[in-house]
Structures are given as C-alpha cells and as structure tokens.
Amino acid sequence: MRLTLRIWRQSGPTGRLVDYPLDGLSPDMSFLEALDVLNERLVLAGEEPVAFDHDCREGICGACGVMINGVAHGPQKATTACQLHLRHFRDGDVLTVEPWRAEPFPVLRDLVVDRSALDRIVAAGGYVSAPTGSAPDAHATPVPKPDADTAFEAAACIGCGACVAACPNGSAMLFTAAKATHLGVLPQGQPERYSRARDMVAEHDAAGFGGCTNTGECTAVCPKGIPLTTITRLNADLLRAHTSRSDR
C-alpha cells in the first residue's frame, strides 16, 4: 500500500507542510504505525523524525490526536488516531496531517501541542473536595440508573481535545461539560455542583477557548461519543449558579 503523508513540520514560531511518500505499508497498520515507519526511515537517512504525541495506543489516553485531512482523529467515527487503520484509506491517497489548531493549544513541535489548558479547567473545579472517608459499600448510596448512565457516559471523555480542534469557535465546552457532568449528577458531587460549573467555565474562558454556538462539530469527532446534551446540562448548572449568587 502506498500513501503520501503531507505532514506539518514546525520547530519554531512558524511551520510548513512537507510531503513524505511511503510505500510497502500494510492496510492492517494503524495510522501511528505508519508514522513509526516514516520516522524509522527519517532516522536512518539522518533526518529529524516527526514529533507526535502518543502513549497507550489503545484509544484510552487521548494523547494521539491530530487532524487528518481536516478531520480530528481522521475519517472513522468514534475512533482515536492510534486506532485508525490504513485500510480506511485508498491506495495512493494523500493525507494531510496537522496538529490541533486552537489558540489555547500552542504548537510545541510538529504535531505536538500543549494541552495543559484542559488540565487547568479540571483543576478549577473538576473534583470533589468534601472528605468522603473510606470507600462505602457498593449500594450504600443509591444512584438512580439514568444518573449513573449519564455519569458513566460523561466520564468516558479522554481529554484528547478533538472537540476543540473541530469547533469553528475553538470551544472546549464539550470537554468542560463532560468533566463537570460526571461529578454533578452523582450524590458525592452535589455540594459543589453549581460552583463547579461556574469555576470551570470561568477558567475555560480565561484560557482563551471560544464560546459554544451548538454547531455540533465537537460531538461528530469525539472518539467517545460524548453527546451535545452534556453541554445543555452544564449550561443549566451555570445558569443556576449565577442565579443563586444574584439572589444573595
């Protein structure tokens, strides 16, 4: 199988796209394995390998995110770049590979961006600070099945940033909503539910992420299928937080 990878190379303030023809690839290779093949050839030729993020390569950590032909994580729905296989492309295809494009995600080198702004959103309130003691028995605190399902669905977010890269506004509201929702619907998260929403959204805005206009591009590329209704829930909690403050 033959592909041409048109890859963004950047080691300073600006970068450019460079074409790399690759032949002899297996359709069963993952996209990252194709990058490994390219880097092996570059190293043997005495050239600088392409820098790209990866860790688990199992679709769990979210580190591997890149734009492939303008789509976050590539054309396969609900799939991270590390789990995207070359059989989803045609022999001879030209693939343009770029880093996430968002102001809060500065490019560090080539395809690697700094996503620490997402960590700061979580640090602003994505936790339960009330002491809970040792782990309770499994059924000590009953949780309604719909709430448990909602929490589990939101907790599936791996923080890859694809929602930001796909959003025309560069918004991280799907990420923020997922991190707030998976705690906000559970009993342990209730005491800080509304302050959590307020503080996390405030950090989201301070980091330079854009506002959400419900275009839905975020959910279309989310490898874990986090639904747009998660943002609706966050907006409701945020409204309640500001209403409660104005009443005091």
Side-chain angles (χ1 to χ4, degrees), residues 119-248:
D119 297 329
R120 293 195 295 274
I121 292 175
V122 173
Y127 51 83
V128 174
S129 64
T132 57
S134 59
D137 292 336
H139 299 292
T141 305
V143 179
K145 181 66 163 53
D147 289 347
D149 290 343
T150 298
F152 187 84
E153 183 178 56
C157 171
I158 57 177
C160 65
C163 51
V164 180
C167 177
N169 306 322
S171 174
M173 285 301 284
L174 189 67
F175 166 83
T176 305
K179 296 304 180 183
T181 294
H182 90 268
L183 296 174
V185 298
L186 296 176
Q188 297 90 336
Q190 291 304 307
E192 298 166 302
R193 176 175 176 177
Y194 303 112
S195 61
R196 176 183 300 113
R198 183 187 65 240
D199 295 343
M200 292 180 74
V201 171
E203 180 58 39
H204 169 281
D205 296 346
F209 292 106
C212 174
T213 51
N214 292 310
T215 62
E217 293 293 330
C218 53
T219 61
V221 300
C222 177
K224 298 303 177 181
I226 308 296
L228 203 60
T229 52
T230 310
I231 298 178
T232 304
R233 183 181 294 274
L234 175 64
N235 287 339
D237 285 354
L238 184 63
L239 179 62
R240 177 69 178 273
H242 287 299
T243 301
S244 298
R245 291 185 74 181
S246 63
D247 288 343
R248 289 199 292 269

Side-chain angles (χ1 to χ4, degrees), residues 7-12 32 35 39 48-55 62-67 97-102 104-116 160:
I7 299 178
W8 184 261
R9 302 302 308 265
Q10 180 175 343
S11 58
L32 294 195
L35 291 178
N39 277 347
E48 189 71 24
V50 176
F52 63 96
D53 256 333
H54 64 93
D55 190 5
C64 62
V66 292
M67 302 293 286
V97 188
E98 299 176 89
W100 291 159
R101 300 292 189 184
F105 289 166
V107 176
L108 299 178
R109 188 179 185 90
D110 298 339
L111 304 177
V112 180
V113 300
D114 180 357
R115 286 177 282 193
S116 60
C160 65

